[in-house]
Amino acid sequence: MSAHINHVVVVLQQVSLEEVPAKKLRLTKPSKSAALHIDLCKATSPTDALQYLLSFARRPVEAESVEGVVRILLEHYYKESDNSVRLKIASLLGLLSKTQGFAPDCIVDDAINTLNNEKSHQVLAQLLGTLLIIGTQLPDKIAVVQRLIDVACKHLSSTYFGVRNKCLQLLGCLGTVDKPLSKETDAGPGAQTSHVRDVQSVISDYFQDQDPRVRTAAIKAMLQLHERGMKIQQTIYNQACKLLSDDYEQVRSAAVQMVWVLSQLYPESIVPIPSSNEEIRLVDDSFGKICHMVSDGSWVVRVQAAKLLGSMHQVSPHFLEQTLDKKLMSDLRRKRTAHERAKELYASGEFSSGRRWADDAPKEKVDTSGVNLIDSGACGAFVHGLEDEMYEVRISAVEALCSLAQSSPSFAEKCLDFLVDMFNDEIEEVRLQSIHVLRQISTHITLREDQLDTVLAVLEDSSRDIREALHELLCYTNVSTKDCIQLALVELLKNLTKYPTDRNSVWKCLKFLGARHPTLVLPIVPELLSTHPYFDTPEPDMDDPAYIAVLVLVFNAAKSCPTMPALFSDHTFRHYAYLRDSLSHLVPHLRLPGRKQTASSGLEASGVGSGSLESAQNFLQDSLVRVSALQNLETPGAQDLLEFTIRDLLRLGELQTELAGSADFCATYLHCQLLLTKALQEKLWTMAVPLCLKQNAKVSTAARQILDETYKLEFLYSGLETQQIATIHNIRLQAKALQLILTARSKPGVDRVLGACEKFLQDVESFQRLFMTELPHFQDSFVEKLLELMPRLTTCKPLDLVKILQTTLRQSGFIHLKLPEQIHRASATIIEPTGESDNPLKFTTGLVVALDIDATLEHVQDPQTSVKVQVLYPDGQSHIIHPKPGDFRTPGPGRVRLITQVYLSHSAWTEACQIEVRLLLAYSSSSSKQSASKPAWNESMGGLPTSESCIESTIHLSKPVKVFIMPKPARR
Amino acid sequence: MPDIKVTPLGAGQDVGRSCILVSIGGKNIMLDCGMHMGYNDDRRFPDFSYVTQNGRLTEFLDCVIISHFHLDHCGALPYMSEMVGYDGPIYMTHPTKAICPILLEDFRKITVDKKGETNFFTSQMIKDCMKKVVPLNLHQTVQVDEELEIKAYYAGHVLGAAMFQIKVGSESVVYTGDYNMTPDRHLGAAWIDKCRPDILISESTYATTIRDSKRCRERDFLKKVHETVERGGKVLIPVFALGRAQELCILLETFWERMNLKAPIYFSTGLTEKANHYYKLFITWTNQKIRKTFVQRNMFEFKHIKAFDRSYADNPGPMVVFATPGMLHAGQSLQIFKKWAGNEKNMLIMPGYCVQGTVGHKILNGQKKLEMEGRATVITGTLDVKLQVEYMSFSAHADAIGIMQLIRMAEPRNMLLVHGEAKKMEFLKDKIEQEVFVRCISCYMPANGETTTVVTNPSVPVDISLNLLKREMALGGPLPDAKRPRTMHGTLIMKDNSLRLVSPEQALKELGLSEHQLRFTCRVQLHDPHSDTDTLGRIYTHLKSVLKSYSIQHVPDGTVIVESIVIKVTSSAEEPNLKVILLSWSYQDEELGSFLSTLLKKGLPS
């Protein structure tokens, strides 16, 4: 660019030598346009010109100079004889008119004029594309839009497909339905009455175009009209259906979409079935047609058809069920499907009979005329879709099944067999997806034993994701018999022995399984606990994960089945007490007959039991109200009240998990206030400066602590509203003011204070910018007072500023916190490594060892960018590792699972030592600001991605876990 | 009229010995050259004397196409090319070319070495025959000669199986060979584009069957194997060397991988090992999953499946063994079976059909005691079959729905069914003719030696001059309608074996002829009491009101001119009321002229 500017200056100096004073103005601001003009004039050959244009396009143009640039480009356009250069100019015009802040009205005329003289089809198409961009920038200017539409209609008869394409696109993006297109200008030979046609019929004429690309464009234009909220007429339904059998896949693909759109618009209208007198609803007819496309030759179309099927909820159940129906026959005899056979086997009470040869032998003879091989209906569409060669099709089919099954319980029941079959797919993604789907529809279904059997077989899968998805599924599954429970338990225990890492997941799964089916668990309790009416059985090992698993199942079932505890033996009760304490999230509270309830559990039951969420909420509100009654924190007793409230809130958070977020949030906030008040009450303010160094340390730690806490408040909790954030920022400002005063007092140098003051004032300003709307809520607060004094502050000397701050700090009141609906505290637990191992992880110095980390994160926003792993070595070295985005999995809403590996390495140690691993939440105090939006110009240029907002600091997210490692010196 | 003739020499209303002769556009093509498994005499090979009584076939055949390597499609190839005599090109896909000679050699060994037949083709003949093979790729169009071209499409079924489109000019035939429309664990589904052939020659093995989903069968299979292995039992799966064996191997291999199982899987050495090698090579012919993952790992490089040694059969603990042959009638599979039959923990899974009389057939029918007449067996006498027997069919042919699907994909004008039983074909034929397709299809099912003739309507390409085309385009509406035929005027010149359509002027110029005007004249008598000029005036106004968009002139010399048509009125002195109207028009305006004459005959409005 600088080269250009120099150039301009030189050139223009020459110009001024020739005494053209008007142009001198440009010297002060050498604009982009001038540079371009000169470049273009210099260009000797089209290739040169093209090069200049290309390099020109790489830089953004300011909105003010766009028009000038456009003029120059147009001027050059008329002079240029080479098609490729004109094409580039045309495309540049389009790009330029997208510049933000530039209104392209002024170039509409010129752009349309260029069309008239253009001979090259390609350039014409590009120009129309430019017009399209201009048109989309000016959707409100009806006159412009109308002109553009006229232009498009005029060029629709072009012989070049590209021009027709662009015209149709233009019509689709700009055409209106309400206002019919008049084609009066079309002076036909007969000059008959000017036929008024609307956009839709014009576009639908091109459904029969000879070029498949134009046909596609026509359908897409129609879809575009629909997207813009225009009502598509039903008359094109037949045309769209015909296009379903087009030779070209892109046409078929667009047509499938068109048919789908129409089916959503006119589901209830009646269409005739060809070659018969019957009539059916349009949605059923189109459903049948789209089903047919599931066996199309092109997989792209198949994927699309399968996807769209999922959203056709209005279809009649009878048609829906056909999609799973495939009449089997063998040598013209009717045959039952394996699914039907399995069902019958189950019904007859006969289970795993070894299948004999010809067991599936066909039974009745099929009436040959009754067999319809190509059914126009939906027959077996999903059967085909699920068997498709491409996994993309299979996945879409599974998804569609899910969506349809969610709206129709009877269909859910029917598709169960097919979904269960998909558990055996060759691609893991498909298996995983079908497990997820089954979980989503599990509310509608009850698994039969044979189905459960197949489902459970997947528990042995070596992929962890699959197993966990399956555990998740089992949590939500209803089963029908006690044998099913037993089967599930046996398989889960098998899973546990094969993959011990699944412990937590299996336990959780059994917890839900037990809670869901108390009556089914009841009859098998003696067997599960291996109790005997007469004999004492040996007490099982309490540390055996399998035994714990069984107990979790039984205890959860016992919760809603009061007769069950009678079956427990003595040690079971003891184990209950132990587990209730150690695994309280898995073992519920039980009312055990004839046993004294321990004090702690008694308090729990009477105080904030499970049903008393409301009372807990009231308690929370009451404590907040009580605190808010305080006007001045310096009054005696106020601080005590705060302290008690904080204690209460913390305890409440522990007891009532639903309110933990809110309670913790309030407690932390109050803690900040308390610290601040205490700091301000210190004696040091009255002391002379040199004496106060000792107190100083105390206050400065308080200030530091408040700052830390406010960052936690802002970034650790989700669900905050702007008002709360503003409140947090307010207290942060107070802490910063405190720090500023301390610096001013302890270090008398003015220079240092000056910088700190400026920084502080910037913070205040940014507060004002960010929370302008919230200011009314800050009556009598520190910030409000500061902002009032702002004009004075900016002009006064640093020392005065400090004084002002000191008084304001002391005078400012206490802002009461309003609680938002839901606050969640981000938290993380490291499941693996457990930190219990005594065997050090040995590795050779200088090489790396991989440590598997498995952690669950809750309520963390945007975990991919914010969560880091910290490794702290005993020598104080610390490493921060950024996990890959792929390591984060989302098993449920609000929950994220991090399974990753961190690489450790260190120089040699003499003996094994522990390192600490923990998760951190990275934040940046500037992240609340919106990142400046980059100019639209850059988007198409593929400029460098803007650097991510810098990360300032981190908050501890989880408790540290200790890992024993031992780097051994390398042997030489 | 031009026609296409199709004559099956084998596989006409029959399964096995596929060999179909097609003559299309003056070219003769042989599709497949297979043998019949059921016969051991001359009937085992197609009757080539149909083509020529004595002498070589080369001069009668333009090319031979082999669809895949199964012996009922390629078994007679060396016999035909070396013993009967054929030197022309033989087309097949690369995998077929690789695997075919192994099977032929194996076949030869069994017939010659084991059964002791003479007068059979030799190893050298197989080699010589293979030298005549031209391999081709999928979707590659091969020009056999200037007019005949062939193109291969993917057919599923077995590795390298292909469907072939044979095309001469605008006439074309598609031959499917054996194909499969549902993908399996190692192969994809057959696919063809909408090529609209004149005849689609399709196999129809499962013409009357609609099959159940493959997944149930796979799941059952895996579950049974898994259960047995967990119980500590041994599983024996008798297979044929190629095709299903690989599918089952993949199935078990992935299952073992998924479930982290440790029990060993073996397959019998020899043919299968060699074949697996080729499967490894031709990864592009397999299905999506295998194609996509082979960068990390070639699925045919089995991790869990190892080669079998005879001594392993006595090893304790669970194992799974694939052994040949598939029908349990001899060889390794029978030996292993005898060893394992006594233990009820073990299991036998038959993955395919068994011919009557084989041990497999007997067991499948529930026989619990087998009489063993043993030469080389350990146990003689009766054998108690205690092990569990399962039948699990994994077939790779298209079922009725699949065949219909292919018809819908290719949209042929005619269907011809081969490779199936007559009764079943009958049913499918009815169905095809009933179903509403885009076009009406007539369906044929010739028996062996019976010729089917299909009349074609080939389009004749004509060069048209661009100017003429543009001129005619300008005449029509604003937009050419692709779906509607339009008439245009021009002169067709047939010269030097080429056809050209040019404008009349150009034709005249080229041929050095001068233009002749052809005019029609016609007299219409009309009773009209007015004078001649008045009559003419009345005609003028009448025409003006009828023909609105034409230029009508009233020339002062007593004529009315409509476009190029001249109208004059005369009357004789005797009968002044009887006017004779003279119309004269050139040939080009014939339509308008005859319209005017009929109009005027009706008389003038009063």
Side-chain angles (χ1 to χ4, degrees), chain A residues 515-532:
Chain A
R516 244 165 210 278
H517 309 98
T519 47
L520 296 181
V521 176
L522 184 63
I524 51 172
V525 166
E527 198 181 332
L528 291 179
L529 298 176
S530 51
T531 48
H532 195 274

Side-chain angles (χ1 to χ4, degrees), chain B residues 8-26:
Chain B
L9 292 187
Q13 303 184 2
D14 186 19
V15 178
R17 199 175 60 169
S18 279
C19 185
I20 296 143
L21 294 177
V22 173
S23 53
I24 170 173

Side-chain angles (χ1 to χ4, degrees), chain B residues 97-112:
Chain B
K97 190 191 173 188
I99 300 172
C100 180
I102 309 176
L103 287 178
L104 286 172
E105 182 60 34
D106 192 56
F107 173 46
R108 191 197 64 83
K109 256 188 217 155
I110 290 171
T111 4
V112 177

Side-chain angles (χ1 to χ4, degrees), chain A residues 77-347:
Chain A
Y77 178 88
Y78 287 117
K79 280 191 278 181
E80 183 59 58
S81 57
D82 187 76
N83 283 347
S84 54
V85 178
R86 284 212 307 279
L87 189 77
K88 185 65 201 168
I89 293 180
S91 86
L92 271 180
L93 288 181
L95 271 177
L96 280 169
S97 48
K98 266 202 281 190
T99 313
Q100 271 183 349
F102 169 69
D105 313 47
C106 44
I107 60 169
V108 174
D109 284 326
D110 299 294
I112 292 177
N113 281 340
T114 50
L115 278 176
N116 296 335
N117 307 322
E118 187 54 63
K119 289 282 177 299
S120 156
H121 291 306
Q122 269 114 340
V123 182
L124 210 54
Q126 183 61 55
L127 279 173
L128 283 165
T130 304
L131 285 181
L132 174 63
I133 294 172
I134 295 176
T136 43
Q137 300 288 101
L138 303 166
D140 310 323
K141 300 264 166 57
I142 301 188
V144 174
V145 168
Q146 193 57 43
R147 274 191 69 192
L148 291 179
I149 290 175
D150 287 343
V151 168
C153 288
K154 206 174 108 203
H155 285 93
L156 261 180
S157 52
S158 162
T159 49
Y160 181 62
F161 79 92
V163 177
R164 271 178 288 161
N165 264 359
K166 286 284 177 194
C167 288
L168 286 169
Q169 227 178 333
L170 227 150
L171 285 180
C173 288
L174 301 174
T176 45
V177 179
D178 334 316
K179 211 163 151 248
L181 288 181
S182 56
K183 287 183 101 185
E184 285 145 316
T185 46
D186 231 16
Q192 285 162 350
T193 50
S194 62
H195 46 293
V196 175
R197 311 186 61 203
D198 64 333
V199 191
Q200 288 192 25
S201 63
V202 171
I203 293 178
S204 63
D205 277 351
Y206 286 82
F207 280 10
Q208 263 97 39
D209 197 274
Q210 56 181 348
D211 194 303
R213 289 165 290 196
V214 179
R215 291 200 290 271
T216 318
I219 305 173
K220 292 236 167 97
M222 200 60 108
L223 288 169
Q224 179 81 36
L225 279 184
H226 168 72
E227 256 167 51
R228 287 172 50 224
M230 321 243 162
K231 194 150 172 103
I232 306 291
Q233 286 145 17
Q234 202 199 324
T235 41
I236 63 163
Y237 180 69
N238 281 333
Q239 284 176 297
C241 289
K242 257 183 228 143
L243 287 177
L244 285 179
S245 51
D246 199 275
D247 281 10
Y248 291 83
E249 78 173 41
Q250 75 262 44
V251 182
R252 290 200 301 268
S253 152
V256 169
Q257 249 173 329
M258 191 73 241
V259 168
W260 176 77
V261 163
L262 286 166
S263 78
Q264 300 307 98
L265 283 178
Y266 306 96
E268 297 302 328
S269 51
I270 302 292
V271 289
I273 303 176
S275 74
S276 82
N277 299 329
E278 285 169 72
E279 291 181 325
I280 50 169
R281 292 159 71 217
L282 191 140
V283 67
D284 292 339
D285 188 50
S286 53
F287 186 77
K289 291 199 159 97
I290 296 180
C291 280
H292 209 50
M293 301 307 282
V294 173
S295 49
D296 191 85
S298 145
W299 70 271
V300 182
V301 180
R302 294 203 297 267
V303 170
Q304 195 158 27
K307 269 200 187 123
L308 291 177
L309 281 184
S311 49
M312 299 181 82
H313 296 293
Q314 290 126 311
V315 75
S316 326
H318 138 79
F319 271 92
L320 195 56
E321 276 153 27
Q322 268 190 13
T323 55
L324 297 176
D325 186 30
K326 193 174 156 188
K327 298 263 177 313
L328 300 191
M329 62 177 190
S330 167
D331 287 351
L332 290 181
R333 279 165 217 274
R334 172 93 175 86
K335 208 171 110 177
R336 289 161 309 142
T337 63
H339 290 148
E340 286 168 340
R341 284 200 301 276
K343 211 165 180 173
E344 273 167 42
L345 266 183
Y346 173 74

Side-chain angles (χ1 to χ4, degrees), chain B residues 526-595:
Chain B
L526 203 68
H527 283 281
D528 197 57
H530 306 280
S531 71
D532 287 3
T533 42
D534 283 353
T535 313
L536 198 64
R538 288 184 61 215
I539 290 175
Y540 174 69
T541 42
H542 176 52
L543 291 182
K544 195 106 182 161
S545 66
V546 175
L547 303 169
K548 280 202 174 86
S549 56
Y550 293 88
S551 77
I552 301 173
Q553 284 172 294
H554 193 174
V555 187
D557 67 343
T559 49
V560 167
I561 298 175
V562 183
E563 304 279 328
S564 72
I565 300 167
V566 181
I567 302 171
K568 275 185 182 163
V569 177
T570 51
S571 59
S572 59
E574 299 94 66
E575 289 176 85
N577 284 350
L578 187 68
K579 300 282 184 313
V580 176
I581 303 168
L582 188 81
L583 285 125
S584 164
W585 66 86
S586 69
Y587 173 70
Q588 280 86 351
D589 279 324
E590 163 68 22
E591 211 177 331
L592 184 63
S594 44
F595 171 74

